[in-house]
Each structure stands twice: as structure tokens, then as C-alpha cells.
Amino acid sequence: MGGEGKEEGMGSGAVQGELWGRAPGAWARWQEAQTRPLYEAALEAIEPLDGMALLDVGCGAGLALAMAAERGAQASGVDASEGLLKQAELAAPGAELHEGDLETLPFEADRFDRVTAFNSLQYAQDPEGAAYELARVVKPDGLVAVGNWGDPSRCETEVLFQALRALAPPPPGTPGPLALSGAGQLEALLASAGLEPVGGGEVTLTFSYPNLEAAWIGHSSAGPIQRVIDVAGEDAVRDALHAVLAPKARPDGSLHDQNVFRYVLTQPIQP
């Protein structure tokens, strides 16, 4: 999911859904596909999944749902973007899918054995409320795994994000990709919602593109970059991306950025 700030009278879905729905096919092909190692690590951490009811919150184009279903889970997903949900239907045809806000999940309490959220909580209008919803819908003996960007100093793509923030400085409180990446931030957010961290890990993801044009297609499919395009214009954003990435191109023209992602494994705090 991706980002703009809070707007009066709007839930996160009203803003995020439109931004992330502009290029869902490109997101599925170039960006989400390269996140597979993070999904694999987090899903392995919440095994067993066979026969388990699993909800992915901010399910995007459905890759994590498809991987969970391959492990035997009864998969459900929620996302703000109608376009991404159409991609999820193709990726995970048996999953139960819903369009909506992260802060008001359309499920009764204690429904799911496993709940996941990848790269999504930081874009909620109310991250605390969204974290509470994860805790509300998981069973008392269930597990919740939340994945996100890791230490910004170990994420090469942060250089691009810095250049884009210079083009369109976000208003105070506006969420961004690394908004929950500071040390202990994600754990504290989940604990405040009644989810006790019990494990986790790091995964290094390499975002690779055969050339600058493919990198543009991939990166610009993300909601935060669409927001900058709205403010600064496509030409300015293209120029910024090329200025950051072109010097890093290998002799064959390909580009490769290494980024650290992390996941936190939690369980409901028992009364």
C-alpha cells in the first residue's frame, strides 16, 4: 500500500486505493514479485498453515495469499485498491477478498488463526487503529506476522526516496515507505495494540531491473511515487529517478538495489 497523509473525513482506503490502483499490473510484476523472500520467511515463521484461516491485511496483488494457499491455508485478503484486488483474484483465485480500510476490517473478532500484514500498516490513516484490528481478528491462540522495510541506513532505495521527498516534501505526519522502520517502532506499535512480539527476522531483498525504463515502470507503480507525480509532475520524477539510478547501472544496463526488510512475529497478550 502507499501514501498520502490524513484527509478529513477519509479513511486510508479512500486515499490509498486510488494511488495504488493506477498501475496494478506493473506493481505485481516488478515490485511485489521481488518481495517473495520476505513472504517466505514470515509464512515459515507462522507454520503450520495447513487448514488454518489466514488473513493478509493490505494484500496487494495477492502473492502472499497465493503462497499461503499453497501451504494449505484458507486465505482471505483485504486491500484498499480495487485494481490490486483484481490482480489478487488472478494470483489466488480461491481467496476471499475484500476492498476496504485497514482500520475497519470486515470480519468478526477472533476469526483467524493467522494474520499477516506486509508493507501496509505504515500507510494507514491510523496505524494504531490498524494494529488493533490485527489483534481483534486473530484468535487468542493465533499468530500475527508483520513485515516492513528495515533500517533505512541499510536500504539502498532510501536514496531514491530522499530525492523524491525533495521534490514533494510530505506534510507532517504523512506516512511513507519507511515510516515504521526505526528501531523498535514496529514492535512498540504492535504491543500497544495487545500483540506481544515473540520473534522475527531480517531478509535482504534485491530489487533488480534490466534497464532504467523497467526501473521507472516498477518504482512508479507504487502509491508514494504516484503521489509525488501528482505534486511535481511525471517529468520531474523521471528526471530524479534517472539521476539517482543511472550512475548505478551495470555495464549491461541493469540495476540492482539491496534493501533490508524485517518481519515481527507476535501473539495476542493474554489477560
Side-chain angles (χ1 to χ4, degrees):
M1 308 209 38
E4 185 178 326
K6 297 182 181 182
E7 295 198 8
E8 191 69 28
M10 290 186 176
S12 59
V15 174
Q16 306 297 347
E18 194 277 330
L19 290 171
W20 286 88
R22 295 179 185 178
W27 173 262
R29 177 183 178 185
W30 290 109
Q31 303 301 97
E32 188 167 271
Q34 302 194 77
T35 314
R36 177 181 286 271
L38 173 65
Y39 299 164
E40 288 177 341
L43 292 176
E44 182 175 338
I46 59 174
E47 289 276 16
L49 291 178
D50 190 25
M52 297 287 184
L54 176 143
L55 173 66
D56 189 25
V57 178
C59 65
L63 177 57
L65 287 176
M67 294 171 65
E70 289 171 359
R71 295 169 180 255
Q74 301 166 6
S76 300
V78 174
D79 200 272
S81 167
E82 179 183 1
L84 285 175
L85 286 171
K86 289 180 179 178
Q87 293 292 318
E89 288 178 359
L90 300 175
E96 177 186 345
L97 301 175
H98 295 266
E99 181 180 350
D101 292 342
L102 275 61
E103 302 91 339
T104 53
L105 298 177
F107 303 103
E108 66 273 16
D110 303 337
R111 171 167 170 179
F112 295 97
D113 302 291
R114 304 286 188 265
V115 176
T116 58
F118 298 106
N119 192 33
S120 58
L121 287 188
Q122 71 267 40
Y123 297 121
Q125 184 182 38
D126 176 12
E128 293 81 5
Y132 173 80
E133 282 292 273
L134 303 184
R136 183 183 66 81
V137 300
V138 73
K139 294 179 180 179
D141 61 349
L143 294 171
V144 177
V146 179
N148 214 309
W149 292 79
D151 180 357
S153 68
R154 298 166 63 199
C155 292
E156 293 181 352
T157 304
E158 169 63 2
V159 177
L160 174 60
F161 294 153
Q162 289 174 354
L164 297 176
R165 288 195 293 271
L167 282 179
T174 299
L178 281 71
L180 291 175
S181 297
Q185 270 187 287
L186 189 54
E187 289 88 345
L189 175 68
L190 297 172
S192 71
L195 295 168
E196 178 184 10
V198 293
E202 285 189 351
V203 179
T204 298
L205 301 183
T206 301
F207 291 168
S208 298
Y209 309 93
N211 50 54
L212 274 170
E213 183 59 24
W216 164 255
I217 293 170
H219 282 297
S220 65
S221 69
I225 297 185
Q226 284 296 320
R227 173 69 176 111
V228 179
I229 289 172
D230 286 347
V231 174
E234 181 175 322
D235 289 345
V237 177
R238 272 185 178 269
D239 289 346
L241 182 142
H242 283 210
V244 170
L245 297 185
K248 301 167 64 174
R250 296 183 178 180
D252 64 358
S254 65
L255 296 134
H256 309 270
D257 271 357
Q258 284 197 336
N259 296 285
V260 172
F261 279 69
R262 58 194 296 262
Y263 66 92
V264 177
L265 180 64
T266 70
Q267 61 187 17
I269 298 173
Q270 302 302 321

